[in-house]
Amino acid sequence: MIKIVPATLEDLPKIQEIAYKTWPVCYGEILSSEQMTYMLDSFYSLESLKQNLTEKKHQFLLAYENEIPLGFASYEHNYKGENKTHLHKIYMLTEAQGKGIGKILINKVEVLAKENQSTAVSLNVNKYNKAQDFYKKLGFKVVADVVIDIEQGFVMDDFIMEKEL
């Protein structure tokens, strides 16, 4: 049985480990190894994750099966001052993909967004990431495309997707 629980500071190493295992699979054909290393080090250092949780008010959820962490999501209510919830991150270990865990996590974020009276859930996805199809099946639509400078000569070339609640 899949169990979804809020993550705490003590869970951040689990989140970091999942990210470091999944990113090469998700982005190996999309990003250079240099950009992947830079982004992992920037976004998934324990200090960065702690800052997201404590200062930026991102909420993290961990998905467990038989007490084994298989994936996570992070989200933020009232994103950029709008009445929307933004899904910042969602990753599943390769062996957990296809079990419906991603859908369970997104459904949980949607429930929490509705409780927060958000009008939509938004997310960014790399324009070349196959996950777009997954999001579309769940009702997300592309509403914009952006190129975000993340320094060191790297950019994130993304679609912004949104699902109205």
Side-chain angles (χ1 to χ4, degrees), residues 2-37:
I2 305 301
K3 181 172 67 170
I4 307 296
V5 298
T8 65
L9 287 171
E10 291 76 31
D11 294 315
L12 296 181
K14 296 173 192 170
I15 291 167
Q16 182 185 52
E17 182 179 351
I18 292 168
Y20 272 81
K21 285 181 178 177
T22 58
W23 268 56
V25 176
C26 291
Y27 300 109
E29 297 177 5
I30 300 172
L31 304 176
S32 68
S33 60
E34 294 82 11
Q35 182 166 349
M36 192 178 326
T37 299

Side-chain angles (χ1 to χ4, degrees), residues 2 8 10-11 17-18 22 30 38 51 58 67 82 86 93 115 124 130 143 145 152:
I2 305 301
T8 65
E10 291 76 31
D11 294 315
E17 182 179 351
I18 292 168
T22 58
I30 300 172
Y38 171 75
Q51 184 180 43
H58 295 191
E67 304 305 314
E82 295 183 22
H86 190 75
L93 292 174
E115 288 174 3
N124 287 33
K130 296 174 200 165
V143 296
D145 61 81
Q152 304 295 314

Side-chain angles (χ1 to χ4, degrees), residues 8-143:
T8 65
L9 287 171
E10 291 76 31
D11 294 315
L12 296 181
K14 296 173 192 170
I15 291 167
Q16 182 185 52
E17 182 179 351
I18 292 168
Y20 272 81
K21 285 181 178 177
T22 58
W23 268 56
V25 176
C26 291
Y27 300 109
E29 297 177 5
I30 300 172
L31 304 176
S32 68
S33 60
E34 294 82 11
Q35 182 166 349
M36 192 178 326
T37 299
Y38 171 75
M39 291 177 74
L40 279 168
D41 291 347
S42 297
F43 301 159
Y44 291 97
S45 69
L46 291 178
E47 186 56 39
S48 178
L49 290 170
K50 180 180 176 185
Q51 184 180 43
N52 286 339
L53 186 63
T54 60
E55 295 172 31
K56 294 184 177 180
K57 305 301 182 209
H58 295 191
Q59 316 262 341
F60 285 84
L61 300 171
L62 271 165
Y64 288 89
E65 183 177 50
N66 300 324
E67 304 305 314
I68 298 169
L70 297 177
F72 71 92
S74 78
Y75 63 94
E76 176 184 357
H77 293 307
N78 306 313
Y79 183 63
K80 293 186 175 180
E82 295 183 22
N83 194 24
K84 296 179 183 177
T85 295
H86 190 75
L87 181 66
H88 285 287
K89 302 168 176 38
I90 182 168
Y91 293 100
M92 297 307 118
L93 292 174
T94 304
E95 61 267 26
Q97 293 178 4
K99 292 184 170 192
I101 300 169
K103 184 177 179 179
I104 292 168
L105 279 167
I106 288 178
N107 286 343
K108 179 66 174 175
V109 170
E110 289 177 8
V111 166
L112 294 166
K114 287 175 184 175
E115 288 174 3
N116 190 66
Q117 299 170 345
S118 293
T119 59
V121 174
S122 64
L123 59 88
N124 287 33
V125 61
N126 183 286
K127 290 177 184 171
Y128 305 100
N129 189 330
K130 296 174 200 165
Q132 289 177 57
D133 295 330
F134 168 71
Y135 299 130
K136 287 176 183 173
K137 285 179 187 174
L138 295 178
F140 286 83
K141 293 178 174 59
V142 174
V143 296

